[in-house]
Amino acid sequence: AAPESITYSILTLTADGMNLTVTVETAPGVWWTFNLAKTTAVVTDPVDPVDPVDPVDPVDPVDPVTGSELVVNGDFQAGSTSWLNADTAITSYYAVDVASAGDVWSVNLSQVMTLTPATSYDVSFKAKGSVARDMVAGLGLNAAPYSAATETVSLTTEWTTFTYTITTTTADGVDFGDANSRVLFDMGGAVGQVWIDDVSVKLTGGDGAELLTNGDFQAGPASWLNADTAITSYFAVDVTSAGEVYSVNLSQVMTLTPATSYEVSFKAKGSVARDMVAGLGLNAAPYSAATETVSLTTEWQTFTYTITTTTADGVDFGDANSRVLFDMGGAVGQVWIDDVSVK
């Protein structure tokens, strides 16, 4: 039990008041001595962790920061990640521009995989060039001696599907293959842009199982070597019949603050001149929104709008279940969207 009182004696106290020696009687005739040092306490301003949209409290770590990006994966480099209604609507492919010719392997795209020596594989892919030019494609080791079996691929300016049966034996008759092997594309030997998509490697005569990961680049550069800055991705949809404008929609959920202005920008084009709707709104009933009618042409354009989270009727809206939105169902024709930003 705690004592009702204690007896203590101050033995020493320094002149600056920062150090103190005290003795405390803990039991009859039992004394404990303590050397105490004064420290300067730092008092922090408490924050409110349950208020995610408080524009008044600048120290709240969950408050939005002016000018910070609110859109995740706005360039679609991670495929449809974070987007609603985009699962089958992302176009992604590898694209590189070879400005000067050199060693063919100096510009390379590869994916590491396990290959078995002296074994046949079916290798297929789509590719094209900005000009008629060649590249090399095949299977090989991903480390010295870099043994490989390859094909010279003649590209045109149109997408073409190429299919080869390649055996993991070199032209000199040396078998190769291990857990650090690869499918490879070497493009450095000629100038011009190269586009590659839908890469597949399967065991010839096997069960049809795909041996590659992310061969369609829907997950951006994931699993590929030398592709981090070489993936072109964008949202693409074809509206074949006109209906309600919201019947074809692309959205991303985000937190918006009522009666607040945001800078909304994006790139877009259409297969024909046509309109779509873009803006900010709620992601649930009553679906309040502030939008703009966007007139598309057949060329990529960058559109920038300042949109305030207040409806045309003067009703403020915004919460943690809000969204940036694109409604495209009101007119026929393809629509492409890229580089979406909300700040």
Side-chain angles (χ1 to χ4, degrees):
E4 295 182 358
S5 64
I6 62 173
T7 302
Y8 66 90
S9 298
I10 298 176
L11 299 183
T12 60
L13 175 63
T14 58
D16 59 6
M18 297 298 292
N19 294 277
L20 180 68
T21 301
V22 177
T23 60
V24 177
E25 187 178 19
T26 58
V30 179
W31 294 81
W32 287 62
T33 299
F34 297 90
N35 294 314
L36 307 178
K38 183 178 179 181
T39 60
T40 302
V42 177
V43 180
T44 58
D45 185 10
V47 297
D48 177 9
V50 298
D51 178 13
V53 194
D54 178 7
V56 177
D57 178 8
V59 300
D60 191 330
V62 293
D63 283 344
V65 178
T66 301
S68 61
E69 182 57 65
L70 302 183
V71 175
V72 177
N73 186 34
D75 57 4
F76 301 97
Q77 287 290 302
S80 61
T81 300
S82 300
W83 290 97
L84 304 178
N85 310 317
D87 287 347
T88 59
I90 305 300
T91 296
S92 295
Y93 49 84
Y94 171 88
V96 68
D97 188 2
V98 183
S100 60
D103 291 316
V104 67
W105 44 260
S106 64
V107 179
N108 168 270
L109 173 69
S110 297
Q111 184 174 140
V112 175
M113 60 191 310
T114 297
L115 295 175
T116 303
T119 301
S120 293
Y121 295 88
D122 294 327
V123 179
S124 66
F125 54 91
K126 287 165 50 180
K128 70 173 183 175
S130 59
V131 295
R133 53 152 294 166
D134 290 346
M135 72 174 184
V136 170
L139 302 174
L141 298 180
N142 193 43
Y146 294 101
S147 305
T150 62
E151 298 282 348
T152 298
V153 183
S154 296
L155 303 179
T156 70
T157 57
E158 299 294 327
W159 282 109
T160 303
T161 298
F162 299 90
T163 302
Y164 300 99
T165 297
I166 297 179
T167 301
T168 47
T169 302
T170 68
D172 297 331
V174 178
D175 299 334
F176 65 87
D178 56 22
N180 189 28
S181 299
R182 61 178 176 157
V183 60
L184 64 94
F185 300 90
D186 289 334
M187 298 156 281
V191 298
Q193 291 175 280
V194 176
W195 292 270
I196 298 173
D197 199 5
D198 295 339
V199 185
S200 172
V201 179
K202 297 179 181 180
L203 187 65
T204 301
D207 59 4
E210 181 57 62
L211 303 181
L212 287 185
T213 302
N214 188 32
D216 58 5
F217 303 97
Q218 288 289 301
S223 301
W224 290 96
L225 304 178
N226 310 316
D228 286 347
T229 61
I231 304 301
T232 297
S233 294
Y234 48 83
F235 172 88
V237 67
D238 188 3
V239 183
T240 56
S241 61
E244 299 290 352
V245 68
Y246 56 81
S247 63
V248 179
N249 168 270
L250 173 69
S251 295
Q252 184 173 135
V253 175
M254 60 179 55
T255 297
L256 296 175
T257 304
T260 301
S261 293
Y262 295 87
E263 297 294 329
V264 179
S265 66
F266 54 92
K267 288 165 51 180
K269 70 173 182 175
S271 58
V272 295
R274 52 152 296 168
D275 290 345
M276 72 173 183
V277 170
L280 302 174
L282 298 180
N283 193 44
Y287 294 100
S288 304
T291 62
E292 298 282 347
T293 298
V294 183
S295 296
L296 303 179
T297 69
T298 56
E299 299 295 327
W300 282 107
Q301 297 180 82
T302 298
F303 300 89
T304 302
Y305 300 98
T306 299
I307 298 180
T308 301
T309 46
T310 302
T311 69
D313 297 331
V315 179
D316 299 335
F317 65 87
D319 56 21
N321 189 29
S322 298
R323 60 178 177 157
V324 59
L325 64 94
F326 300 90
D327 289 334
M328 298 157 280
V332 297
Q334 291 175 280
V335 175
W336 292 270
I337 299 173
D338 201 4
D339 294 339
V340 183
S341 172
V342 178
K343 297 181 179 180

